């Protein structure tokens, strides 16, 4: 084994209250440091709050990994318009299910993170946009919000601090596209969920054309611990430029799939072998999708790597939303590529021609290969088509469909060629199911 990772198997920061009885209740939350970070932040200047978040090296947990404190600093200090806090809880990336766990077990942590963000940018209203299929989570979130109002942790003059703050939930209709921030804002405003042309960016013109902070659930949930313990403490949990812990959704061909909170920079092979109990059935590792279905696949010999944004980027992939999908030697790569492309072709909003047409063409071509009807020239054709989709759409959905296809073709070309020859790829034949 090549990796040498001294990190503990799990570091519980965001999940530290999960094991207590009734973890979602406000009583459990208050009994274990709940809302203390907000009270501390209420005594700080907005600049000091943002600086603490900058010092933490917290990067957005929704996929892009943009520095959170820097994002907050883009919100204009003086604006005649109201400012808003918006939570992206539209968790639709295949292979990802961490935000569900956070809302289900500790919804008040999310509320507190929103309140601190409100203090940082002088916003007094938050909207939590929840994926359409997460109906039961809306009930959990609404109950937590009602508890917070009843105990004086939301509403007017919260706990005598002079700060007013309101929180509302809003359900999506199940569109993957609405996980993209500008499409989410369109949907929140009651319009069709299609991306906006940018600039302007949400920090300047977001919800109702007003300055808006828009982050993922896990990002907001990280903020209370940062304020309570200090930015440096959080930064030291991870690697340089990649602070804190991360919830990784480990799925696919492992013995112990699940959601695990690990330090940023945790070694991927160690995650599979020690946290996930190894590849199921004692089989060999073939490939790993490191951050959700939109991230380019890594071959087995690339998996001795630190799981942080910068290390994965050096391998021309992304840490993304933390959905780690493990594939063993029985995986049919062509079938896996087809399964992913069916999803993106179905979820394209249709606004951009390269995405609307490109995903459909790729789906049809991959289907032909899976049926044994592909032609050799079509391998390069799919690769070229995918590369022509990159950077040519209003939102990253086109890229999300193109990048994994490019990686599958370039790293496992022999499997596509085997489909043409109608020969079996040794050991391959099972369809991977991305949980």
């Amino acid at each position: 084994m090549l990796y040498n990772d001294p990190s503990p198997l799990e570091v519980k920061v965001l999940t530290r209250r999960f094991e207590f009885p009734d973890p979602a209740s406000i009583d459990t939350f208050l009994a274990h440091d709940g809302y203390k970070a907000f009270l501390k932040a209420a005594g700080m200047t907005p600049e000091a709050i943002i600086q603490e978040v900058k010092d933490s090296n917290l990067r957005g947990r929704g996929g892009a990994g943009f520095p959170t404190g820097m994002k907050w600093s883009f919100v204009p200090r003086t604006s005649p318009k109201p400012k808003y806090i918006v939570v992206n809880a539209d968790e639709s990336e295949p292979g990802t299910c961490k935000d569900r766990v956070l809302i289900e077990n500790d919804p008040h942590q999310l509320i507190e993170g929103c309140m601190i963000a409100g203090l940082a940018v002088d916003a007094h209203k938050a909207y939590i946009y929840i994926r359409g299929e997460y109906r039961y989570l809306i009930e959990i979130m609404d109950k937590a919000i009602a508890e917070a109002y009843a105990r004086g942790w939301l509403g007017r003059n919260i706990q005598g601090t002079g700060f007013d703050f309101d929180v509302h939930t809003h359900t999506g209709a199940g569109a993957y596209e609405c996980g993209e921030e500008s499409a989410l804002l369109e949907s929140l405003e009651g319009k069709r969920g299609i991306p906006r042309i940018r600039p302007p960016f949400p920090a300047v013109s977001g919800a109702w054309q007003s300055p808006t902070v828009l982050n993922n659930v896990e990002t907001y949930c990280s903020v209370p611990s940062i304020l309570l313990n200090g930015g440096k403490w959080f930064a030291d949990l991870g690697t340089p430029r990649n602070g804190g812990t991360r919830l990784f959704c480990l799925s696919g061909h492992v013995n112990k799939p699940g959601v695990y909170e690990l330090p940023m920079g945790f070694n991927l092979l160690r995650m599979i072998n020690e946290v996930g109990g190894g590849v199921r059935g004692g089989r060999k590792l073939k490939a790993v999708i490191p951050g959700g279905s939109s991230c380019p696949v890594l071959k087995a010999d690339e998996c001795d790597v630190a799981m942080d944004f910068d290390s994965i980027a050096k391998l021309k992939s992304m840490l993304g939303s933390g959905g780690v999908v493990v594939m063993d030697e029985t995986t049919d790569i062509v079938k896996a590529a087809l399964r992913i492309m069916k999803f993106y072709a179905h979820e394209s909003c249709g606004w951009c021609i390269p995405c609307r047409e490109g995903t459909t063409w790729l789906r049809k071509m991959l289907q032909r290969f899976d049926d044994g009807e592909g032609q050799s020239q079509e391998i390069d054709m799919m690769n070229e088509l995918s590369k022509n989709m990159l950077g040519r759409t209003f939102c990253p959905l086109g890229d999300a469909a193109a990048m994994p296809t490019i990686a599958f073709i370039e790293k496992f070309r022999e499997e596509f060629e085997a489909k043409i020859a109608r020969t079996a790829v040794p050991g391959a034949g099972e369809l991977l199911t991305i949980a």
Side-chain angles (χ1 to χ4, degrees):
M1 200 169 291
L2 299 177
Y3 61 79
N4 181 19
D5 186 354
S7 304
L9 286 183
E10 282 196 82
V11 177
K12 297 192 175 183
V13 177
L14 283 71
T15 60
R16 66 188 184 279
R17 283 180 283 261
F18 283 16
E19 295 178 0
F20 294 116
D22 196 12
S25 73
I26 193 169
D27 289 325
T28 300
F29 188 69
L30 292 172
H32 299 90
D33 299 327
Y35 293 117
K36 286 184 180 179
F38 163 74
L39 293 177
K40 180 180 179 180
M44 300 167 63
T45 64
E47 292 80 9
I49 296 171
I50 292 175
Q51 187 59 51
E52 205 70 63
V53 177
K54 285 183 177 180
D55 292 344
S56 73
N57 288 332
L58 173 66
R59 296 171 67 168
R61 304 302 201 225
F66 193 83
T68 303
M70 185 180 296
K71 191 175 190 177
W72 291 9
S73 70
F74 293 157
V75 176
R77 284 271 158 247
T78 57
S79 173
K81 297 181 179 180
K83 299 170 185 175
Y84 297 102
I85 304 299
V86 177
V87 181
N88 185 346
D90 191 72
E91 186 173 55
S92 304
E93 179 81 359
T96 311
C97 53
K98 60 186 175 60
D99 292 345
R100 171 186 65 81
V101 173
L102 289 168
I103 294 175
E104 191 173 30
N105 290 283
D106 202 349
H108 286 278
Q109 183 174 223
L110 175 57
I111 295 172
E112 186 175 23
C114 293
M115 294 165 70
I116 295 170
L119 286 168
V121 301
D122 191 30
H124 299 276
K125 187 170 288 188
Y127 291 93
I128 303 174
Y129 186 99
I130 301 179
R131 170 180 170 171
E133 290 87 349
Y134 280 171
R135 299 285 175 177
Y136 77 102
L137 293 184
I138 297 175
E139 297 177 5
I140 293 172
M141 202 71 240
D142 283 340
K143 180 182 178 182
I145 291 169
E147 287 179 331
Y149 274 110
R151 299 288 188 91
W153 290 104
L154 285 176
R156 310 281 77 78
N157 189 24
I158 297 171
Q159 301 297 318
T161 60
F163 182 64
D164 303 336
F165 199 73
D166 294 300
V167 178
H168 307 276
T169 56
H170 185 96
T171 178
Y176 173 79
E177 173 59 30
C178 289
E180 192 277 330
E181 61 180 14
S182 65
L184 185 155
L185 292 171
E186 288 287 287
S187 177
L188 179 65
E189 294 176 12
K191 293 177 279 188
R192 179 185 172 192
I194 56 175
R196 296 175 177 176
I197 299 175
R198 292 170 294 177
F201 293 94
V204 176
S205 180
W208 296 281
Q209 290 72 56
S210 298
T212 302
V213 168
L214 201 164
N215 282 116
N216 165 268
V217 170
E218 186 182 356
T219 309
Y220 285 113
C221 286
S222 299
V223 170
S225 294
I226 292 170
L227 267 292
L228 202 58
N229 299 291
K232 184 181 183 304
W233 168 85
F234 192 83
D236 289 345
L237 293 174
T239 55
R241 299 183 66 248
N242 294 266
T245 61
R246 181 82 198 262
L247 295 187
F248 291 99
C249 313
L250 189 58
S251 66
H253 302 151
V254 288
N255 287 312
K256 295 192 296 182
V259 179
Y260 300 95
E261 184 173 9
L262 305 169
M264 287 289 286
F266 197 90
N267 185 277
L268 177 54
L269 279 182
R270 189 179 180 209
M271 186 188 303
I272 295 167
N273 293 324
E274 297 184 26
V275 178
V279 180
R280 69 174 191 184
R283 295 185 176 128
K284 293 181 180 178
L285 178 67
K286 183 172 189 175
V288 177
I289 297 174
S293 64
S294 61
C295 300
V297 68
L298 302 178
K299 296 188 75 171
D301 60 8
E302 298 177 291
C303 292
D304 188 9
V305 60
M307 288 291 278
D308 61 46
F309 291 101
D310 300 323
S311 298
I312 297 299
K314 290 177 182 177
L315 295 177
K316 298 183 179 180
S317 187
M318 302 182 298
L319 194 62
S321 56
V324 181
V325 184
V326 178
M327 306 180 194
D328 68 22
E329 59 189 327
T330 68
T331 303
D332 185 325
I333 291 296
V334 176
K335 286 183 181 293
L338 174 59
R339 169 67 65 86
I340 290 172
M341 191 52 60
K342 283 181 176 179
F343 172 82
Y344 287 113
H346 178 268
E347 292 296 336
S348 174
C349 75
W351 193 241
C352 309
I353 293 173
C355 178
R356 183 184 69 226
E357 301 300 326
T359 54
T360 300
W361 291 345
L362 286 173
R363 177 186 59 78
K364 290 179 178 179
M365 294 169 80
L366 286 167
Q367 185 67 65
R368 285 204 298 274
F369 270 86
D370 188 49
D371 292 340
E373 298 173 356
Q375 300 179 29
S376 59
Q377 65 268 28
E378 289 183 306
I379 300 177
D380 291 329
M381 191 183 299
M382 285 191 292
N383 203 21
E384 182 181 1
L385 170 58
S386 299
K387 289 178 178 178
N388 282 331
M389 291 167 62
L390 291 175
R392 290 178 169 84
T393 53
F394 286 148
C395 88
L397 196 152
D399 292 358
M403 289 188 297
T405 306
I406 294 168
F408 280 132
I409 291 172
E410 293 185 348
K411 294 183 179 183
F412 295 96
R413 187 183 182 96
E414 70 279 2
E415 295 208 18
F416 290 84
E417 293 171 345
K419 290 282 185 176
I420 297 171
R422 293 178 179 267
T423 58
V425 176
E430 181 173 319
L431 175 61
L432 175 71
T433 299
I434 299 178

